[in-house]
Amino acid sequence: MDFIDFIDINQAMDNRSLTMNILVAPSMANFSGLMHGGELLKILDQVAYACATRYCGIGVVTMSVDNVIFRQPIPIGTLLTFLASVNYTGKTSCEVGIKVISENIKERHVTHCASCYFTMVAFKDGKTVPIPQLEPRTPNEKRRYEEAQKRREMRSKMHK
């Protein structure tokens, strides 16, 4: 049987969301044997880039990072799953929400270890460019859209 038989192609090709996995290697650890926060931030930025670029169909750059919450330490050997989704779109930017799940693959223990929101801006030839507007379909997408809109308003007030 072909591997593709096990994948829901429609879900795999949904350009609103992205799932990525990595294994935490010793080179990612701090002196305590845990994943360095900076390493996690670097990967989060890559996940946000991949999710937003897939949605926008054009390269993006990071404009802001909000509410990075490190909930649990991440030991070496942990399998991380990054669940990313485009929550909101503006004219040239979008918010990508990311939830990080850590899995101790030996003990089969799963934990929500981090969450954050990235604002990504579509960029081409040194200029911002318009992106497709998100139309939330499901109740979850509608809730995330409304919450993202509130975060955007708060950011706007802070930077005036």
Side-chain angles (χ1 to χ4, degrees), residues 17-71:
S17 62
L18 178 80
T19 302
M20 289 177 61
N21 296 86
I22 65 150
L23 188 63
V24 178
S27 63
M28 300 172 171
N30 60 23
F31 294 107
S32 299
L34 301 170
M35 185 175 201
H36 193 284
E39 286 289 331
L40 183 59
L41 287 170
K42 177 182 172 185
I43 297 167
L44 286 164
D45 191 50
Q46 293 169 352
V47 170
Y49 169 84
C51 185
T53 298
R54 178 197 246 177
Y55 176 80
C56 296
I58 192 163
V60 297
V61 295
T62 305
M63 185 172 120
S64 70
V65 183
D66 294 342
N67 299 332
V68 179
I69 301 171
F70 300 101
R71 299 167 56 104

Side-chain angles (χ1 to χ4, degrees), residues 66-67 85-90 94-97 117-119 134 140-156:
D66 294 342
N67 299 332
S85 66
V86 173
N87 294 334
Y88 178 84
T89 55
C94 63
E95 180 192 271
V96 176
Y117 302 99
F118 277 72
T119 300
L134 181 68
N140 244 357
E141 287 176 351
K142 290 175 184 176
R143 176 188 53 79
R144 287 196 301 253
Y145 187 90
E146 290 168 8
E147 290 172 357
Q149 204 167 22
K150 290 175 187 173
R151 282 188 292 276
R152 182 178 185 183
E153 290 168 9
M154 284 181 16
R155 275 192 308 273
S156 180

Side-chain angles (χ1 to χ4, degrees), residues 60-117:
V60 297
V61 295
T62 305
M63 185 172 120
S64 70
V65 183
D66 294 342
N67 299 332
V68 179
I69 301 171
F70 300 101
R71 299 167 56 104
Q72 299 289 325
I74 304 168
I76 295 169
T78 299
L79 179 65
L80 294 181
T81 301
F82 296 84
L83 305 169
S85 66
V86 173
N87 294 334
Y88 178 84
T89 55
K91 184 176 163 187
T92 61
S93 66
C94 63
E95 180 192 271
V96 176
I98 307 172
K99 182 177 186 177
V100 185
I101 306 298
S102 64
E103 179 183 354
N104 177 324
I105 54 179
K106 292 177 186 172
E107 298 176 13
R108 299 182 183 183
H109 178 72
V110 176
T111 305
H112 174 196
C113 63
S115 294
C116 62
Y117 302 99

